[in-house]
Amino acid sequence: MSLFQPTGVELRGKDFLSLSDFSPAEIDYLINLAMELKDLQRKGEPHHFLRGKVLAMIFEKNSTRTRVSFETGIYQLGGQGLFLSSRDLQLGRGETIYDTARVLSRYVQGIMIRTFSHEQVEELAEAADVPVINGLTDLLHPCQVLADLMTIKEKKGRLEGIKVAYIGDGNNVANSLINGCTKMNMEIRVATPLGYEPDANVVEAAKENAGNVILTQDVEEAAKGVDVLYTDVWASMGQEEEQAERQKAFAEYQINSNVLSLAKKDAIVMHCLPAHRGEEITAEVIDGPQSVVFDEAENRLHAQKAIMASIM
Ligand code: CP
Ligand code: NVA
């Protein structure tokens, strides 16, 4: 295979900060490339498109999937990942994002960052000479949603017209799902308690896209007849102190067998993980036959290899 990018798809050198920066054709290209890379990996065929290249991976928050899938992914592409905890970097002692970006650009061919402030990632990307990948901010989680779209396409054979219900907190994953689903001409319904809606700017911008975004407080209205049920934790990283208050606010926003029975018979259940069984989702549902959460987690690897191979 080659990394030939068809007319209209120009990804080399681009940052991957938000799915809203990519056209439907570019997202489609990345998903198809991810599927091809998955196939090569399964067959044991080498695909060293990034031989000798290095990805710096800055983590200011915990991670299992993102860290391991990026590190494994760059290795499988013939390159090397560098795990950099922000605590160990001079960044943790006050060195600026600007200087960090300028310096890292002299050593590595790509930077992945997981942090709190989305603006900080934009600042890093602005200052860096190499592509920057958003590995999760408080606002967005685009790598997750690229893998999610790939998973939906694998399971349902298409994206266009697919109906997704996201139930729970209007957080980073919800925001990126709104970006990704509306770009790909899907319907995304987001059910949250009052005061926990997704980002208003993300919702407003998504209205320009081909798909539909529907916000509601009614779980039943969201779940009725959908192809995909999706949820995430009630308290994200950085919100640990709000845990008790959120547990009360979200009590009715759980994916359980009642909610599952409202969706299409062949609906799939998704969760970006880590999950809290008994809170946002019951064990019965997440460990049940309609759950695809581990395929979804696996696809992080393939989707991120497609991102790295395309932009680095
Ligand atoms: N879904 C996800 O990003 O998982 P990690 O926090 O383990 O990276
Ligand atoms: N919304 C969660 C996603 C974790 C992958 C968080 O930000 O903690």
Side-chain angles (χ1 to χ4, degrees), residues 61 65-66 114 136-138 141 144 166 169 171-173 232-233 235-238 272-274 300:
K61 288 176 173 173
R65 279 143 289 269
T66 305
R114 163 169 288 198
L136 180 147
T137 62
D138 289 345
H141 197 1
Q144 178 66 52
Y166 174 94
D169 185 23
N171 61 16
N172 42 14
V173 171
D232 184 15
V233 291
S236 285
M237 290 180 277
C272 60
L273 305 179
R300 292 291 303 279

Side-chain angles (χ1 to χ4, degrees), residues 231 254-258 260 269 271 275-288 291:
T231 191
Q254 182 190 60
I255 297 188
N256 50 38
S257 52
N258 285 338
L260 185 57
V269 175
H271 191 310
H276 293 100
R277 287 169 174 77
E279 292 184 22
E280 73 275 4
I281 192 162
T282 58
E284 185 188 13
V285 171
I286 198 170
D287 300 318
S291 170

Side-chain angles (χ1 to χ4, degrees), residues 192-207:
T192 67
L194 188 66
Y196 293 96
E197 291 83 5
D199 184 80
N201 293 326
V202 168
V203 175
E204 218 29 58
K207 289 182 182 161

Side-chain angles (χ1 to χ4, degrees), residues 18-94:
S18 168
L19 286 170
S20 63
D21 301 332
F22 293 83
S23 68
E26 288 170 333
I27 295 172
D28 197 48
Y29 169 80
L30 286 170
I31 293 170
N32 292 333
L33 178 60
M35 287 175 166
E36 282 184 55
L37 290 168
K38 182 172 182 171
D39 199 43
L40 290 181
Q41 184 62 27
R42 289 269 157 94
K43 291 185 189 140
E45 287 178 26
H47 41 284
H48 291 167
F49 297 119
L50 297 182
R51 199 192 306 271
K53 298 203 176 175
V54 177
L55 177 78
M57 311 187 303
I58 305 173
F59 282 90
E60 210 165 345
K61 288 176 173 173
N62 292 54
S63 173
T64 296
R65 279 143 289 269
T66 305
R67 176 181 175 180
V68 178
S69 56
F70 266 108
E71 198 161 335
T72 305
I74 184 96
Y75 178 73
Q76 291 176 356
L77 289 166
Q80 164 100 44
L82 272 185
F83 173 76
L84 305 168
S85 154
S86 60
R87 267 192 309 269
D88 304 331
L89 291 171
Q90 295 289 6
L91 193 59
R93 293 179 58 249

Side-chain angles (χ1 to χ4, degrees), residues 51-230:
R51 199 192 306 271
K53 298 203 176 175
V54 177
L55 177 78
M57 311 187 303
I58 305 173
F59 282 90
E60 210 165 345
K61 288 176 173 173
N62 292 54
S63 173
T64 296
R65 279 143 289 269
T66 305
R67 176 181 175 180
V68 178
S69 56
F70 266 108
E71 198 161 335
T72 305
I74 184 96
Y75 178 73
Q76 291 176 356
L77 289 166
Q80 164 100 44
L82 272 185
F83 173 76
L84 305 168
S85 154
S86 60
R87 267 192 309 269
D88 304 331
L89 291 171
Q90 295 289 6
L91 193 59
R93 293 179 58 249
E95 185 168 19
T96 65
I97 277 280
Y98 178 85
D99 287 356
T100 306
R102 305 293 302 157
V103 170
L104 288 181
S105 298
R106 300 294 178 102
Y107 303 134
V108 302
Q109 288 69 48
I111 304 171
M112 195 272 343
I113 179 164
R114 163 169 288 198
T115 189
F116 295 87
S117 144
H118 190 73
E119 289 70 37
Q120 212 170 41
V121 175
E122 288 177 336
E123 201 186 317
L124 180 82
E126 188 64 38
D129 296 324
V130 296
V132 171
I133 301 171
N134 176 2
L136 180 147
T137 62
D138 289 345
L139 184 68
L140 297 173
H141 197 1
C143 293
Q144 178 66 52
V145 171
L146 186 68
D148 296 340
L149 293 173
M150 173 189 177
T151 309
I152 295 170
K153 191 166 176 183
E154 278 179 346
K155 303 292 176 189
K156 297 288 165 197
R158 68 192 162 99
L159 292 177
E160 196 171 330
I162 292 288
K163 293 183 168 69
V164 179
Y166 174 94
I167 290 160
D169 185 23
N171 61 16
N172 42 14
V173 171
N175 290 332
S176 280
L177 272 174
I178 291 170
N179 282 337
C181 292
T182 57
K183 279 269 177 179
M184 301 316 280
N185 204 359
M186 300 158 72
E187 180 167 300
I188 171 88
R189 307 174 187 171
V190 181
T192 67
L194 188 66
Y196 293 96
E197 291 83 5
D199 184 80
N201 293 326
V202 168
V203 175
E204 218 29 58
K207 289 182 182 161
E208 301 295 310
N209 296 338
N212 268 340
V213 52
I214 298 164
L215 304 191
T216 176
Q217 288 163 32
D218 186 341
V219 172
E220 202 168 308
E221 180 191 334
K224 223 173 209 167
V226 292
D227 304 282
V228 180
L229 280 172
Y230 199 119

